[in-house]
Amino acid sequence: MSKPSRAAADEFRDYCLELLSPVAPRGGVSGIVARRMFGGTGFSMDGKTFAIIAFDQLWLKADDEARGVFEAAGCDIFTYDADGKTRTMGYYTVPPDAMESAALMKPWAELAWGAALRAAAGKASTGARRRAPAVAKSTSGATATSRRPKQTQQKKK
C-alpha cells in the first residue's frame, strides 16, 4: 500500500477534524488542535490528546471505562511492532458508520474525550502528592520545619 500524498493526508485530517468537532466546547473545530506527530496527526483540546491519525486511519483514545464499548462494537486496538514484539496503545478504530457524519461520530468522540480527561486527572493526582515539610537539624540535635508561623496583624489605635 502506498503512502497517500500530502494533499490527501491533509484532506483526511480536515475531514476527521470536522467529524470530531461536536466535542469541542462550543462546537466547531476551533477548540480542537490538530498537530503532526510521529508521521501522523494528533487531535487534542486543552493539551489532552483524544484522537490520532496513524496508518491512514482515525484512532480514538480508550481507557478501562471505554474499552468495552469499543470492543463490543468490533473496533480494533492500535498495535505496532517494536523490538520484535507486538505492542498496543490505548487507541481504537471507530465503527465504519461513525466515519460517515459528525452526528454518528459524536458518541465515540465523547468516549475518547472522557478517556483523555480521566487520564489527565490520573496524572495530576499522582503528581500532586502532598510533600512532607522539610526538616532541618541543628548541631545540637533540635529539629525545625520549614513552615512559617502565621503572622498576626496589629490593630492601629
Side-chain angles (χ1 to χ4, degrees):
M1 188 161 131
S2 65
K3 188 173 181 177
S5 69
R6 174 65 138 232
D10 288 349
E11 187 177 323
F12 184 62
R13 177 205 60 216
D14 293 345
Y15 180 68
C16 290
L17 195 55
E18 287 293 329
L19 289 174
L20 298 169
S21 67
V23 297
R26 288 177 282 289
V29 297
S30 61
I32 301 173
V33 175
R35 282 210 172 93
R36 283 187 184 18
M37 56 186 282
F38 308 112
T41 301
F43 297 96
S44 62
M45 291 189 296
D46 300 325
K48 298 164 190 70
T49 301
F50 69 101
I52 60 173
I53 294 174
F55 308 113
D56 308 322
Q57 192 160 10
L58 179 65
W59 304 83
L60 298 180
K61 187 171 188 71
D63 59 3
D64 289 339
E65 190 172 317
R67 185 173 293 116
V69 179
F70 282 98
E71 289 174 351
C75 301
D76 296 323
I77 192 166
F78 185 101
T79 60
Y80 64 99
D81 292 322
D83 302 323
K85 296 180 182 178
T86 300
R87 302 179 188 271
T88 63
M89 285 178 48
Y91 287 85
Y92 281 80
T93 58
V94 295
D97 64 331
M99 293 298 294
E100 299 300 318
S101 74
L104 293 172
M105 179 63 75
K106 185 177 181 180
W108 298 100
E110 287 173 341
L111 275 174
W113 177 238
L117 290 174
R118 288 186 293 276
K123 287 178 185 175
S125 67
T126 58
R129 289 189 181 136
R130 199 168 175 182
R131 293 183 187 163
V135 176
K137 281 194 175 188
S138 70
T139 55
S140 66
T143 60
T145 64
S146 63
R147 292 185 182 159
R148 292 184 181 181
K150 281 188 176 178
Q151 294 181 356
T152 57
Q153 291 183 339
Q154 294 180 352
K155 293 183 180 179
K156 291 185 180 177
K157 293 185 181 182

